[in-house]
Coordinates of all heavy atoms in Angstrom, one line a residue:
M1 N -94.5 -119.9 131.3 CA -93.9 -118.7 130.7 C -94.1 -118.6 129.2 O -93.9 -119.6 128.4 CB -92.4 -118.8 131.1 CG -91.8 -117.5 130.5 SD -89.9 -117.6 130.6 CE -89.5 -118.1 132.2
S2 N -94.7 -117.5 128.7 CA -94.8 -117.3 127.3 C -93.4 -117.0 126.7 O -92.6 -116.2 127.1 CB -95.8 -116.3 127.0 OG -95.2 -115.0 127.2
I3 N -93.2 -117.7 125.6 CA -91.8 -117.5 124.8 C -92.2 -117.1 123.4 O -93.0 -117.7 122.7 CB -91.0 -118.9 124.7 CG1 -90.7 -119.4 126.2 CG2 -89.8 -118.6 124.0 CD1 -89.7 -118.6 126.9
D4 N -91.5 -115.9 123.0 CA -91.7 -115.5 121.6 C -90.5 -116.2 120.9 O -89.3 -115.7 121.0 CB -91.6 -114.0 121.5 CG -91.6 -113.5 120.1 OD1 -91.5 -114.3 119.2 OD2 -91.9 -112.3 119.9
R5 N -90.9 -117.2 120.0 CA -89.8 -117.9 119.3 C -89.1 -117.2 118.1 O -88.2 -117.7 117.6 CB -90.4 -119.3 118.6 CG -91.1 -120.1 119.8 CD -90.0 -121.0 120.5 NE -90.7 -121.7 121.6 CZ -90.0 -122.1 122.7 NH1 -88.6 -122.0 122.8 NH2 -90.6 -122.8 123.6
T6 N -89.6 -115.9 117.8 CA -89.1 -115.2 116.8 C -87.9 -114.5 117.3 O -87.1 -114.0 116.5 CB -90.1 -114.2 116.3 OG1 -90.4 -113.2 117.2 CG2 -91.3 -114.9 115.7
V7 N -87.7 -114.4 118.7 CA -86.6 -113.6 119.2 C -85.3 -114.5 119.2 O -85.4 -115.6 119.7 CB -87.0 -113.2 120.7 CG1 -85.8 -112.5 121.4 CG2 -88.1 -112.3 120.7
Q8 N -84.2 -113.9 118.8 CA -83.0 -114.7 118.8 C -81.9 -113.9 119.3 O -81.7 -112.7 118.9 CB -82.7 -115.0 117.3 CG -83.8 -116.2 116.7 CD -83.6 -117.4 117.3 OE1 -82.6 -118.0 117.7 NE2 -84.9 -118.0 117.6
C9 N -81.0 -114.4 120.2 CA -79.9 -113.7 120.7 C -78.9 -113.3 119.6 O -78.2 -112.2 119.6 CB -79.1 -114.7 121.6 SG -80.0 -115.2 123.1
S10 N -78.9 -114.0 118.4 CA -78.0 -113.6 117.4 C -78.4 -112.3 116.7 O -77.6 -111.6 115.9 CB -77.9 -114.8 116.3 OG -79.3 -115.0 115.8
A11 N -79.6 -111.9 116.9 CA -80.0 -110.5 116.3 C -80.3 -109.6 117.5 O -81.4 -108.9 117.5 CB -81.2 -110.8 115.5
C12 N -79.5 -109.7 118.6 CA -79.7 -108.8 119.7 C -78.5 -108.2 120.2 O -77.5 -108.9 120.2 CB -80.5 -109.6 120.8 SG -80.8 -108.7 122.3
D13 N -78.5 -107.0 120.7 CA -77.2 -106.4 121.2 C -77.1 -106.7 122.7 O -76.7 -105.8 123.5 CB -77.4 -104.9 121.0 CG -77.1 -104.4 119.7 OD1 -76.7 -105.3 118.9 OD2 -77.2 -103.2 119.5
A14 N -77.2 -108.0 123.0 CA -77.0 -108.5 124.4 C -77.8 -107.7 125.5 O -77.2 -107.2 126.4 CB -75.5 -108.6 124.8
A15 N -79.0 -107.3 125.1 CA -79.8 -106.5 126.0 C -79.8 -106.9 127.4 O -79.8 -106.1 128.3 CB -81.1 -106.3 125.4
C16 N -80.0 -108.2 127.7 CA -80.1 -108.8 129.0 C -78.8 -108.7 129.8 O -78.7 -108.6 131.1 CB -80.5 -110.3 128.9 SG -79.6 -111.3 128.0
C17 N -77.7 -108.4 129.1 CA -76.4 -108.2 129.8 C -76.2 -106.9 130.3 O -75.2 -106.5 130.8 CB -75.2 -108.6 128.8 SG -75.3 -110.3 128.2
R18 N -77.3 -106.0 130.4 CA -77.3 -104.8 131.0 C -78.0 -104.9 132.3 O -78.1 -103.8 133.1 CB -78.1 -103.8 130.1 CG -77.3 -103.4 128.9 CD -78.1 -102.5 127.9 NE -78.6 -101.4 128.7 CZ -77.9 -100.2 128.8 NH1 -76.6 -100.2 128.3 NH2 -78.4 -99.3 129.3
L19 N -78.6 -106.0 132.7 CA -79.3 -106.3 133.9 C -78.3 -106.5 135.1 O -77.2 -106.9 134.7 CB -80.3 -107.4 133.8 CG -81.4 -107.2 132.9 CD1 -82.2 -108.6 132.7 CD2 -82.5 -106.1 133.4
T20 N -78.7 -106.3 136.2 CA -77.8 -106.6 137.4 C -77.8 -108.1 137.5 O -78.8 -108.8 137.6 CB -78.4 -105.9 138.7 OG1 -78.3 -104.5 138.4 CG2 -77.5 -106.3 139.9
V21 N -76.6 -108.7 137.5 CA -76.4 -110.1 137.7 C -75.9 -110.3 139.1 O -74.6 -110.1 139.4 CB -75.3 -110.6 136.6 CG1 -75.2 -112.1 136.9 CG2 -76.1 -110.4 135.2
V22 N -76.6 -110.8 139.9 CA -76.4 -111.2 141.3 C -75.6 -112.6 141.3 O -76.3 -113.5 140.8 CB -77.4 -111.1 142.2 CG1 -77.0 -111.4 143.6 CG2 -78.1 -109.7 142.3
L23 N -74.4 -112.6 141.7 CA -73.8 -114.0 141.8 C -74.3 -114.8 143.0 O -74.5 -114.3 144.1 CB -72.2 -113.7 141.8 CG -71.7 -113.0 140.7 CD1 -70.3 -112.4 140.9 CD2 -71.8 -113.9 139.4
M24 N -74.3 -116.1 142.6 CA -74.8 -117.2 143.6 C -73.6 -118.0 144.1 O -72.7 -118.1 143.3 CB -75.9 -117.9 142.9 CG -77.0 -117.2 142.4 SD -78.0 -116.5 143.8 CE -79.1 -115.5 142.8
P25 N -73.8 -118.5 145.3 CA -72.9 -119.7 145.7 C -72.8 -120.7 144.6 O -73.8 -121.1 144.0 CB -73.5 -120.1 147.0 CG -74.4 -119.2 147.5 CD -75.0 -118.5 146.3
G26 N -71.6 -121.0 144.3 CA -71.3 -121.9 143.3 C -71.0 -121.4 141.9 O -70.5 -122.1 141.1
D27 N -71.3 -120.1 141.7 CA -70.9 -119.5 140.5 C -69.3 -119.3 140.4 O -68.7 -119.1 141.6 CB -71.4 -117.9 140.4 CG -72.9 -118.0 139.9 OD1 -73.3 -119.0 139.3 OD2 -73.6 -117.1 140.3
N28 N -68.8 -119.5 139.4 CA -67.2 -119.5 139.3 C -66.8 -118.6 138.2 O -66.4 -118.9 137.0 CB -66.8 -121.0 139.0 CG -65.3 -121.1 138.9 OD1 -64.6 -120.2 139.5 ND2 -64.8 -122.0 138.2
V29 N -66.8 -117.2 138.6 CA -66.6 -116.1 137.7 C -65.3 -115.4 138.1 O -65.0 -115.4 139.3 CB -67.7 -115.1 137.7 CG1 -67.4 -113.9 136.8 CG2 -69.0 -115.8 137.2
P30 N -64.3 -115.1 137.2 CA -63.1 -114.4 137.6 C -63.5 -113.1 138.3 O -64.4 -112.4 138.0 CB -62.5 -114.0 136.2 CG -63.1 -115.0 135.2 CD -64.4 -115.3 135.6
E31 N -62.8 -113.1 139.6 CA -63.0 -111.9 140.5 C -62.9 -110.6 139.9 O -63.7 -109.7 140.1 CB -62.1 -112.1 141.7 CG -62.6 -111.3 142.9 CD -63.9 -111.8 143.6 OE1 -64.3 -112.9 143.3 OE2 -64.6 -111.0 144.1
R32 N -62.1 -110.5 138.9 CA -61.8 -109.2 138.2 C -62.9 -108.7 137.4 O -63.0 -107.6 137.0 CB -60.5 -109.3 137.3 CG -60.7 -110.2 136.2 CD -59.5 -110.5 135.3 NE -59.6 -111.5 134.5 CZ -60.3 -111.6 133.4 NH1 -60.9 -110.6 132.9 NH2 -60.4 -112.8 132.8
L33 N -63.9 -109.6 137.2 CA -65.1 -109.2 136.4 C -66.3 -108.9 137.4 O -67.4 -108.5 136.8 CB -65.5 -110.4 135.5 CG -64.5 -110.8 134.4 CD1 -65.0 -111.9 133.5 CD2 -64.2 -109.6 133.5
T34 N -66.1 -108.9 138.7 CA -67.1 -108.7 139.6 C -66.9 -107.4 140.5 O -65.8 -106.9 140.5 CB -67.3 -109.9 140.5 OG1 -66.3 -110.0 141.4 CG2 -67.3 -111.3 139.7
T35 N -68.0 -107.2 141.2 CA -67.8 -105.9 142.2 C -68.9 -106.2 143.2 O -69.7 -107.2 143.2 CB -68.1 -104.7 141.3 OG1 -67.7 -103.5 142.3 CG2 -69.4 -104.5 140.9
H36 N -68.8 -105.3 144.2 CA -69.9 -105.4 145.2 C -70.7 -104.1 145.3 O -70.1 -103.1 145.0 CB -69.3 -105.6 146.6 CG -68.6 -107.0 146.8 ND1 -67.4 -107.4 146.3 CD2 -69.2 -108.1 147.3 CE1 -67.2 -108.7 146.6 NE2 -68.3 -109.1 147.3
T37 N -72.0 -104.3 145.4 CA -73.0 -103.1 145.5 C -72.8 -102.4 146.9 O -72.2 -103.0 147.8 CB -74.3 -103.5 145.2 OG1 -74.8 -104.3 146.3 CG2 -74.5 -104.2 143.9
D38 N -73.3 -101.2 146.9 CA -73.3 -100.5 148.3 C -74.2 -101.4 149.3 O -73.8 -101.4 150.5 CB -74.0 -99.2 148.2 CG -73.2 -98.2 147.4 OD1 -71.9 -98.5 147.1 OD2 -73.7 -97.2 146.9
A39 N -75.0 -102.2 148.8 CA -75.8 -103.1 149.7 C -75.1 -104.4 150.0 O -75.6 -105.2 150.7 CB -77.1 -103.5 149.1
G40 N -73.9 -104.6 149.4 CA -73.0 -105.7 149.9 C -73.3 -106.9 148.9 O -72.8 -108.0 149.1
L41 N -74.1 -106.7 147.8 CA -74.3 -108.0 146.8 C -73.1 -108.0 146.1 O -72.4 -107.0 145.5 CB -75.5 -107.6 146.0 CG -76.8 -107.6 146.7 CD1 -78.0 -107.3 145.7 CD2 -77.2 -109.1 147.3
H42 N -72.7 -109.3 145.7 CA -71.5 -109.6 144.8 C -72.3 -109.8 143.4 O -73.1 -110.6 143.2 CB -70.9 -111.0 145.3 CG -69.7 -111.2 144.6 ND1 -69.1 -112.5 144.6 CD2 -68.9 -110.5 143.9 CE1 -68.0 -112.5 143.9 NE2 -67.8 -111.3 143.5
V43 N -71.9 -108.9 142.4 CA -72.5 -108.8 141.2 C -71.5 -108.7 140.2 O -70.3 -108.4 140.3 CB -73.3 -107.6 141.0 CG1 -74.6 -107.6 142.1 CG2 -72.6 -106.3 141.2
M44 N -72.1 -109.1 138.9 CA -71.1 -108.8 137.7 C -70.9 -107.3 137.6 O -71.8 -106.5 137.6 CB -71.7 -109.4 136.4 CG -71.8 -110.9 136.4 SD -70.2 -111.7 136.5 CE -69.5 -111.2 135.0
D45 N -69.6 -107.0 137.3 CA -69.3 -105.5 137.1 C -69.9 -105.0 135.7 O -70.0 -105.9 134.9 CB -67.9 -105.3 137.2 CG -67.5 -103.8 137.5 OD1 -68.4 -103.0 137.7 OD2 -66.3 -103.6 137.6
R46 N -70.1 -103.9 135.6 CA -70.6 -103.2 134.3 C -69.8 -102.1 133.8 O -69.2 -101.3 134.7 CB -72.1 -102.8 134.5 CG -73.0 -104.0 134.7 CD -74.5 -103.7 134.5 NE -75.1 -103.0 135.8 CZ -76.2 -102.6 135.9 NH1 -77.1 -102.9 134.9 NH2 -76.8 -102.1 136.9
D47 N -69.8 -101.8 132.5 CA -69.1 -100.7 132.0 C -69.8 -99.5 132.1 O -70.9 -99.5 132.5 CB -68.6 -101.1 130.6 CG -69.7 -101.2 129.6 OD1 -70.7 -100.7 129.8 OD2 -69.4 -101.8 128.5
E48 N -69.2 -98.4 131.6 CA -69.9 -97.0 131.7 C -71.1 -97.0 130.9 O -72.0 -96.1 131.2 CB -68.9 -95.9 131.3 CG -68.5 -95.9 129.9 CD -67.2 -96.8 129.7 OE1 -66.8 -97.5 130.6 OE2 -66.5 -96.6 128.6
D49 N -71.4 -97.9 129.8 CA -72.6 -97.8 129.1 C -73.5 -98.9 129.6 O -74.7 -98.9 129.1 CB -72.2 -98.3 127.7 CG -71.4 -97.1 127.0 OD1 -71.7 -95.9 127.3 OD2 -70.5 -97.5 126.3
G50 N -73.2 -99.6 130.7 CA -74.3 -100.4 131.5 C -74.2 -101.8 131.1 O -74.9 -102.6 131.6
W51 N -73.3 -102.3 130.1 CA -73.1 -103.7 129.9 C -72.2 -104.4 130.9 O -71.2 -103.7 131.3 CB -72.7 -103.8 128.5 CG -73.7 -103.9 127.4 CD1 -74.4 -104.9 127.0 CD2 -74.2 -102.8 126.6 NE1 -75.4 -104.7 126.0 CE2 -75.2 -103.4 125.7 CE3 -74.0 -101.5 126.5 CZ2 -76.0 -102.5 124.9 CZ3 -74.7 -100.6 125.7 CH2 -75.7 -101.2 124.9
C52 N -72.5 -105.6 131.1 CA -71.6 -106.5 131.9 C -70.2 -106.5 131.2 O -70.2 -106.6 130.0 CB -72.3 -108.0 132.0 SG -71.2 -109.2 132.6
V53 N -69.2 -106.4 132.1 CA -67.9 -106.4 131.6 C -67.4 -107.7 131.0 O -66.4 -107.7 130.4 CB -66.8 -105.9 132.7 CG1 -67.0 -104.5 133.0 CG2 -66.9 -106.9 133.9
A54 N -68.2 -108.7 131.0 CA -67.9 -110.0 130.4 C -68.4 -110.0 129.0 O -68.1 -111.0 128.3 CB -68.5 -111.2 131.3
V55 N -69.2 -109.0 128.6 CA -69.5 -109.0 127.1 C -68.4 -108.8 126.2 O -67.5 -108.0 126.4 CB -70.6 -107.8 126.9 CG1 -70.9 -107.8 125.4 CG2 -71.9 -108.1 127.6
D56 N -68.2 -109.7 125.2 CA -67.3 -109.5 124.1 C -67.9 -108.6 123.1 O -68.9 -109.0 122.4 CB -67.1 -110.8 123.5 CG -66.0 -110.8 122.4 OD1 -65.9 -109.6 121.7 OD2 -65.5 -111.8 122.0
S57 N -67.5 -107.2 123.3 CA -68.3 -106.2 122.4 C -68.1 -106.4 121.0 O -68.9 -105.9 120.1 CB -67.9 -104.8 122.9 OG -66.5 -104.7 122.7
A58 N -67.0 -107.0 120.5 CA -66.8 -107.3 119.1 C -67.8 -108.2 118.5 O -68.3 -108.0 117.4 CB -65.4 -107.7 118.9
R59 N -68.1 -109.2 119.3 CA -69.0 -110.2 118.8 C -70.4 -110.3 119.4 O -71.3 -111.0 119.1 CB -68.4 -111.6 119.1 CG -67.1 -111.8 118.3 CD -66.6 -113.2 118.5 NE -66.2 -113.6 119.7 CZ -66.4 -114.7 120.4 NH1 -67.0 -115.6 119.7 NH2 -66.1 -114.9 121.6
M60 N -70.5 -109.3 120.4 CA -71.7 -109.1 121.2 C -72.2 -110.4 121.7 O -73.4 -110.9 121.6 CB -72.9 -108.4 120.5 CG -72.8 -107.0 120.3 SD -72.2 -106.2 121.7 CE -73.6 -105.3 122.2
C61 N -71.3 -111.1 122.5 CA -71.6 -112.3 123.1 C -70.9 -112.5 124.4 O -70.2 -111.6 124.8 CB -71.3 -113.7 122.3 SG -69.6 -113.7 121.9
C62 N -71.2 -113.5 125.3 CA -70.5 -113.7 126.5 C -69.2 -114.3 126.5 O -69.1 -115.4 125.9 CB -71.5 -114.6 127.4 SG -70.7 -114.8 129.0
S63 N -68.2 -113.6 127.0 CA -66.9 -114.1 126.9 C -66.6 -115.2 127.8 O -65.5 -115.9 127.8 CB -65.9 -112.9 127.1 OG -65.9 -112.4 128.4
I64 N -67.5 -115.4 128.7 CA -67.2 -116.5 129.7 C -68.5 -117.4 129.7 O -69.0 -118.0 130.6 CB -67.1 -116.0 131.2 CG1 -68.4 -115.0 131.6 CG2 -65.8 -115.2 131.4 CD1 -68.3 -114.8 133.1
Y65 N -69.0 -117.7 128.4 CA -70.3 -118.4 128.2 C -70.2 -119.7 129.0 O -71.3 -120.1 129.6 CB -70.5 -118.6 126.8 CG -71.8 -119.2 126.4 CD1 -72.9 -118.4 126.4 CD2 -72.0 -120.6 126.2 CE1 -74.1 -118.9 126.2 CE2 -73.2 -121.1 125.9 CZ -74.3 -120.3 125.9 OH -75.5 -120.8 125.8
E66 N -69.1 -120.5 128.9 CA -69.1 -121.9 129.5 C -69.3 -121.7 131.1 O -69.7 -122.8 131.6 CB -67.8 -122.5 129.1 CG -67.8 -122.8 127.6 CD -68.9 -123.6 127.0 OE1 -69.5 -124.5 127.8 OE2 -69.4 -123.4 125.9
T67 N -68.8 -120.6 131.6 CA -68.8 -120.6 133.1 C -69.7 -119.5 133.5 O -69.5 -118.9 134.6 CB -67.5 -120.4 133.7 OG1 -66.8 -119.2 133.1 CG2 -66.6 -121.7 133.4
R68 N -70.7 -118.9 132.7 CA -71.5 -117.7 133.1 C -72.3 -118.2 134.3 O -72.6 -119.3 134.6 CB -72.3 -117.4 131.9 CG -73.4 -118.5 131.5 CD -74.0 -118.1 130.0 NE -75.1 -119.0 129.7 CZ -75.1 -120.3 129.3 NH1 -73.9 -120.8 129.4 NH2 -76.1 -120.9 129.0
P69 N -72.7 -117.1 134.9 CA -73.4 -117.2 136.2 C -74.7 -117.9 136.1 O -75.3 -118.0 135.0 CB -73.6 -115.9 136.8 CG -72.5 -115.0 136.0 CD -72.4 -115.7 134.8
A70 N -75.2 -118.6 137.2 CA -76.4 -119.3 137.2 C -77.6 -118.5 136.7 O -78.5 -118.8 135.9 CB -76.7 -119.9 138.6
I71 N -77.7 -117.1 137.2 CA -78.6 -116.3 136.7 C -78.9 -116.1 135.3 O -79.9 -116.0 134.6 CB -78.8 -115.0 137.5 CG1 -80.0 -114.4 137.7 CG2 -77.6 -114.1 137.0 CD1 -80.0 -113.1 138.6
C72 N -77.6 -116.1 134.6 CA -77.5 -116.0 133.1 C -78.0 -117.2 132.4 O -78.7 -117.2 131.5 CB -76.2 -115.5 132.7 SG -75.5 -114.2 133.5
R73 N -77.8 -118.4 133.0 CA -78.1 -119.6 132.5 C -79.6 -119.8 132.5 O -80.2 -120.5 131.7 CB -77.6 -120.8 133.1 CG -76.0 -120.8 133.1 CD -75.4 -121.9 134.0 NE -73.9 -121.8 134.1 CZ -73.3 -122.4 133.0 NH1 -73.9 -123.2 132.2 NH2 -72.0 -122.2 132.9
K74 N -80.3 -119.2 133.5 CA -81.8 -119.4 133.6 C -82.6 -118.4 132.7 O -83.7 -118.5 132.6 CB -82.1 -119.2 135.0 CG -81.6 -120.4 136.0 CD -82.2 -120.2 137.4 CE -81.5 -121.2 138.3 NZ -81.4 -120.8 139.6
F75 N -81.8 -117.4 132.2 CA -82.5 -116.4 131.4 C -83.2 -116.9 130.1 O -82.4 -117.4 129.3 CB -81.7 -115.1 131.2 CG -82.4 -113.8 131.0 CD1 -82.8 -113.1 132.0 CD2 -82.6 -113.5 129.6 CE1 -83.4 -111.9 131.7 CE2 -83.2 -112.3 129.3 CZ -83.8 -111.5 130.3
A76 N -84.5 -116.7 130.0 CA -85.0 -117.4 128.8 C -85.1 -116.5 127.7 O -85.6 -115.4 127.7 CB -86.5 -117.8 129.1
M77 N -84.5 -116.8 126.6 CA -84.5 -116.2 125.3 C -86.0 -116.1 124.8 O -86.7 -117.0 124.7 CB -83.7 -116.8 124.2 CG -83.7 -116.2 122.8 SD -82.5 -117.0 121.7 CE -83.4 -118.5 121.3
G78 N -86.5 -114.9 124.5 CA -87.8 -114.7 124.0 C -88.8 -114.7 125.1 O -90.0 -114.6 125.0
G79 N -88.4 -114.9 126.4 CA -89.4 -114.9 127.6 C -89.7 -113.3 128.0 O -89.2 -112.4 127.3
P80 N -90.6 -113.3 128.9 CA -91.1 -111.9 129.3 C -90.0 -110.9 129.5 O -90.1 -109.8 129.1 CB -92.0 -112.2 130.6 CG -92.5 -113.6 130.3 CD -91.3 -114.3 129.7
A81 N -89.0 -111.3 130.5 CA -87.9 -110.4 130.8 C -87.0 -110.1 129.8 O -86.6 -108.9 129.5 CB -87.1 -111.0 132.0
C82 N -86.8 -111.0 128.9 CA -86.0 -110.8 127.7 C -86.7 -109.7 126.7 O -86.1 -108.8 126.3 CB -85.8 -112.0 126.8 SG -85.4 -111.9 125.2
R83 N -88.0 -110.0 126.5 CA -88.9 -109.0 125.6 C -88.8 -107.7 126.3 O -88.7 -106.7 125.6 CB -90.1 -109.5 125.4 CG -90.2 -110.8 124.6 CD -91.5 -111.2 124.1 NE -92.6 -111.2 125.0 CZ -93.0 -112.3 125.6 NH1 -92.5 -113.4 125.5 NH2 -94.0 -112.2 126.5
E84 N -88.9 -107.5 127.6 CA -89.0 -106.3 128.2 C -87.7 -105.6 128.2 O -87.6 -104.4 127.8 CB -89.3 -106.4 129.8 CG -89.6 -105.2 130.5 CD -90.1 -105.3 132.0 OE1 -90.7 -106.5 132.2 OE2 -89.8 -104.7 132.8
I85 N -86.5 -106.2 128.4 CA -85.3 -105.4 128.3 C -84.9 -105.1 126.9 O -84.2 -104.1 126.7 CB -84.2 -106.3 129.1 CG1 -82.9 -105.5 129.2 CG2 -83.8 -107.6 128.3 CD1 -83.0 -104.3 130.3
R86 N -85.3 -105.9 126.0 CA -85.1 -105.5 124.5 C -85.9 -104.3 124.1 O -85.4 -103.5 123.5 CB -85.5 -106.8 123.6 CG -84.4 -107.8 123.6 CD -85.0 -109.1 122.9 NE -85.5 -108.9 121.7 CZ -84.9 -109.0 120.5 NH1 -83.7 -109.2 120.5 NH2 -85.5 -108.7 119.4
A87 N -87.1 -104.2 124.7 CA -87.9 -103.0 124.4 C -87.3 -101.7 125.0 O -87.3 -100.6 124.4 CB -89.3 -103.3 124.9
D88 N -86.7 -101.9 126.2 CA -86.2 -100.9 126.9 C -85.0 -100.3 126.2 O -84.7 -99.1 126.0 CB -85.6 -101.3 128.4 CG -86.8 -101.2 129.4 OD1 -87.9 -100.9 129.0 OD2 -86.5 -101.7 130.5
L89 N -84.2 -101.3 125.7 CA -83.0 -100.9 124.9 C -83.3 -100.2 123.5 O -82.7 -99.3 123.1 CB -82.1 -102.1 124.7 CG -80.7 -101.9 124.0 CD1 -79.9 -100.8 125.0 CD2 -79.9 -103.1 123.8
A90 N -84.4 -100.8 123.0 CA -84.9 -100.2 121.7 C -85.3 -98.7 122.0 O -84.9 -97.9 121.2 CB -85.9 -101.0 121.1
D91 N -86.0 -98.4 123.1 CA -86.4 -97.1 123.3 C -85.2 -96.2 123.7 O -85.2 -95.1 123.2 CB -87.3 -97.2 124.6 CG -88.6 -97.6 124.4 OD1 -89.1 -97.7 123.4 OD2 -89.3 -97.8 125.4
R92 N -84.2 -96.7 124.1 CA -83.0 -96.0 124.5 C -82.3 -95.6 123.2 O -81.9 -94.5 123.0 CB -82.0 -96.8 125.4 CG -80.7 -96.1 125.8 CD -79.8 -97.0 126.5 NE -78.5 -96.6 126.1 CZ -77.5 -96.7 127.0 NH1 -77.7 -96.9 128.2 NH2 -76.3 -96.4 126.6
Y93 N -82.2 -96.6 122.3 CA -81.6 -96.4 121.0 C -82.4 -95.2 120.2 O -81.8 -94.3 119.7 CB -81.6 -97.5 120.2 CG -80.4 -98.5 120.5 CD1 -80.6 -99.8 120.1 CD2 -79.5 -98.1 121.2 CE1 -79.5 -100.8 120.4 CE2 -78.4 -99.1 121.6 CZ -78.5 -100.4 121.3 OH -77.5 -101.3 121.5
A94 N -83.7 -95.3 120.4 CA -84.6 -94.4 119.6 C -84.3 -93.0 120.2 O -84.4 -92.0 119.3 CB -86.0 -94.8 119.8
R95 N -84.2 -92.8 121.5 CA -84.0 -91.5 122.1 C -82.7 -90.9 121.8 O -82.5 -89.8 121.7 CB -84.2 -91.7 123.6 CG -85.6 -91.7 124.1 CD -85.7 -91.4 125.6 NE -84.7 -92.2 126.4 CZ -85.1 -93.5 126.9 NH1 -86.3 -94.0 126.7 NH2 -84.2 -94.0 127.6
E96 N -81.7 -91.8 121.5 CA -80.3 -91.4 121.3 C -80.2 -90.9 119.8 O -79.2 -90.2 119.5 CB -79.3 -92.4 121.7 CG -79.2 -92.6 123.1 CD -78.2 -93.7 123.5 OE1 -77.8 -94.3 122.6 OE2 -77.9 -93.8 124.6
I97 N -81.1 -91.2 119.0 CA -80.9 -90.7 117.5 C -81.4 -89.2 117.4 O -82.5 -88.8 117.9 CB -81.9 -91.5 116.6 CG1 -81.3 -93.0 116.5 CG2 -81.8 -91.0 115.2 CD1 -82.3 -93.9 115.8
P98 N -80.4 -88.4 117.0 CA -80.7 -86.9 117.1 C -81.7 -86.6 116.1 O -81.7 -87.1 115.0 CB -79.3 -86.3 116.9 CG -78.5 -87.3 116.2 CD -79.0 -88.6 116.7
L99 N -82.7 -85.7 116.4 CA -83.7 -85.2 115.4 C -83.0 -84.1 114.6 O -82.4 -83.3 115.2 CB -84.9 -84.7 116.2 CG -85.8 -85.8 116.9 CD1 -86.9 -85.1 117.7 CD2 -86.4 -86.7 115.9
T100 N -83.3 -84.2 113.3 CA -82.7 -83.0 112.5 C -84.0 -82.4 111.8 O -84.8 -82.9 111.3 CB -82.0 -83.7 111.3 OG1 -81.0 -84.6 111.8 CG2 -81.3 -82.6 110.6
L101 N -84.0 -81.0 112.1 CA -85.1 -80.3 111.6 C -84.6 -79.6 110.2 O -83.7 -79.0 110.2 CB -85.6 -79.2 112.6 CG -86.1 -79.8 113.9 CD1 -86.4 -78.7 115.0 CD2 -87.3 -80.7 113.8
S102 N -85.6 -79.6 109.2 CA -85.2 -79.1 108.0 C -86.0 -77.8 107.8 O -87.1 -77.7 108.4 CB -85.2 -80.1 106.9 OG -86.5 -80.6 106.7
Ligands
LIG201 S1 -81.7 -113.5 126.1 FE1 -83.0 -112.0 125.0 S2 -82.2 -110.0 125.7 FE2 -80.6 -111.6 126.1 S3 -79.3 -111.6 124.3 FE3 -80.8 -113.2 124.0 S4 -82.4 -112.1 122.8 FE4 -81.1 -110.5 123.8
LIG202 S1 -71.9 -113.1 132.4 FE1 -72.2 -113.4 130.3 S2 -74.4 -113.9 130.0 FE2 -74.1 -113.0 132.0 S3 -74.6 -110.8 131.8 FE3 -72.4 -111.0 131.6 S4 -72.0 -111.2 129.5 FE4 -74.2 -111.6 129.8

């Protein structure tokens, strides 16, 4: 897997925490932070803006870091999926900036 070592979580708005996190047997996450999809998957719940409800929005970090799900532990900082979701979020931010015509 190619890793971009210049990418750092400390300079990211927790972009990967907008992805669907499917919980695995052995994950130990408070039930109140989870939900079930229509297809019956047990997943981390997300807020109206799409972020996992376990995100500490003041610090933009995981509030359950020590017991975060296995899928989150495996996510590689600077890896292909990380770079892709960061680019998606950057696009979204760019679209949300209103254009001002003078
Ligand atoms: S793993 Fe990647 S997308 Fe997730 S917080 Fe870190 S830099 Fe951002
Ligand atoms: S559990 Fe933590 S690391 Fe995983 S998506 Fe939610 S906030 Fe991010």
Side-chain angles (χ1 to χ4, degrees):
M1 180 195 305
S2 72
I3 300 287
D4 180 346
R5 301 280 173 201
T6 67
V7 174
Q8 295 294 319
C9 296
S10 55
C12 178
D13 282 353
C16 57
C17 299
R18 295 172 52 81
L19 295 169
T20 300
V21 174
V22 178
L23 296 165
M24 302 292 170
D27 282 336
N28 184 21
V29 174
E31 198 61 29
R32 64 186 163 77
L33 300 177
T34 75
T35 189
H36 288 83
T37 67
D38 292 344
L41 291 173
H42 193 198
V43 297
M44 292 300 294
D45 202 1
R46 292 194 281 181
D47 65 20
E48 63 270 17
D49 293 320
W51 269 275
C52 172
V53 294
V55 170
D56 176 341
S57 56
R59 297 184 298 142
M60 283 318 250
C61 64
C62 180
S63 63
I64 55 167
Y65 187 79
E66 296 302 326
T67 57
R68 67 196 186 285
I71 198 170
C72 302
R73 293 172 185 275
K74 290 182 183 149
F75 200 83
M77 179 176 70
C82 164
R83 298 196 303 269
E84 186 176 331
I85 191 68
R86 281 167 54 88
D88 284 352
L89 188 60
D91 281 351
R92 180 185 145 139
Y93 284 162
R95 284 196 306 273
E96 287 176 356
I97 296 172
L99 290 174
T100 311
L101 300 176
S102 57

